[in-house]
Amino acid sequence: MMKELDIFKHRYSCRNFKNEKLNPQDLKNILEVARLSPSSLGLEPWRFLVVQDEKKKEKLFQICNHQNHVKNCSALIIILSRLDFLDYFEEKLRKRDMEEKEIQKRLDTYMPFLKSLNHEQKIAYAREQAHIALASILYSANALNIASCSIGGFDKVKLDSYLNLDTQKEIATLVVALGYSNDKNLPQKNRFDFDEVVQFL
């Protein structure tokens, strides 16, 4: 288990990337782990946009408050939150290996909740799921010795507009910079002690 724990212990937010392209298979594996992330009701309310083009990274650098690691990283993953999950919930549910009785039970239980959400509530609900996918991206990258930095500081209106999104159906939630670290020394991880944050009831 120690080897697995090291993946979590040594991960940090990198802002100093080498000018080096990612191994395409490694990038695909990171995206596959993101795709397999768990989500509430199995809705998977996300899409992942991958940006490697230098001109596009330069534009995103401007949208992301001129953070240098946005343009200097090897690749960016933009996590979109889908808001149209009500439209596909039943179809997705029926693809599971379940009896009709169980499917109807879940429809009766969860459809009223999903239908009750207004636009802002849909955004909040979907954004929560996006952070699960974010964790998958960060730690799968670290397992492949690829550095990462999650970015929430960007002009959301401009990014949605740049990506030409229908914001009734999806919005940009998070940006993740990926690349090979150019840091000589890893920063010291400063976390609360175990007993400060964990309580057994």
Side-chain angles (χ1 to χ4, degrees):
M1 183 64 177
M2 287 307 298
K3 181 179 178 182
E4 287 77 7
L5 280 177
D6 284 344
I7 293 172
F8 297 89
K9 286 180 178 179
H10 297 152
R11 195 253 144 209
Y12 73 104
S13 294
C14 180
R15 293 173 175 82
N16 183 19
F17 293 102
K18 293 180 180 178
N19 183 19
E20 186 177 341
K21 291 185 178 181
L22 292 178
N23 179 302
Q25 187 59 51
D26 285 346
L27 179 57
K28 186 174 181 179
N29 287 340
I30 292 168
L31 292 160
E32 178 66 1
V33 172
R35 184 185 72 84
L36 294 171
S37 299
S39 61
S40 175
L41 306 185
L43 289 173
E44 303 167 55
W46 48 54
R47 287 202 306 129
F48 308 102
L49 305 183
V50 183
V51 180
Q52 295 175 284
D53 179 79
E54 295 300 325
K55 290 183 178 179
K56 291 178 181 177
K57 284 194 295 178
E58 175 65 33
K59 181 61 178 178
L60 291 170
F61 157 74
Q62 297 172 27
I63 294 173
C64 293
N65 300 324
H66 299 88
Q67 298 179 67
N68 285 327
H69 46 290
V70 172
K71 65 177 178 179
N72 295 333
C73 68
S74 302
L76 294 164
I77 299 175
I78 303 171
I79 304 177
L80 304 184
S81 291
R82 293 188 62 176
L83 310 177
D84 62 342
F85 42 80
L86 181 61
D87 297 340
Y88 63 78
F89 173 55
E90 181 173 355
E91 179 184 357
K92 205 166 187 308
L93 189 61
R94 291 189 177 280
K95 290 181 179 179
R96 296 188 183 185
D97 185 19
M98 290 189 295
E99 294 182 357
E100 181 63 25
K101 182 180 179 181
E102 179 60 26
I103 291 174
Q104 284 301 322
K105 179 182 177 181
R106 296 194 182 199
L107 288 173
D108 292 342
T109 301
Y110 299 124
M111 269 297 197
F113 163 69
L114 295 178
K115 288 180 178 179
S116 73
L117 300 176
N118 62 32
H119 187 67
E120 294 304 316
Q121 289 170 328
K122 287 179 181 179
I123 291 174
Y125 184 65
R127 280 177 59 86
E128 289 177 356
Q129 315 312 310
H131 284 80
I132 300 174
L134 169 67
S136 298
I137 291 171
L138 298 180
Y139 287 112
S140 60
N142 205 49
L144 294 167
N145 293 313
I146 294 171
S148 61
C149 185
S150 57
I151 300 161
F154 54 84
D155 188 315
K156 293 176 173 55
V157 174
K158 287 184 179 179
L159 184 53
D160 288 343
S161 176
Y162 175 70
L163 298 172
N164 198 28
L165 301 180
D166 178 350
T167 54
Q168 292 300 307
K169 294 183 177 181
E170 58 185 355
I171 60 168
T173 293
L174 293 159
V175 179
V176 187
L178 297 174
Y180 299 109
S181 175
N182 201 31
D183 291 317
K184 303 303 178 185
N185 299 304
L186 297 183
Q188 183 179 1
K189 190 177 288 291
N190 183 12
R191 295 290 188 271
F192 286 115
D193 290 337
F194 185 89
D195 292 338
E196 291 182 277
V197 296
V198 178
Q199 180 181 3
F200 292 92
L201 301 178

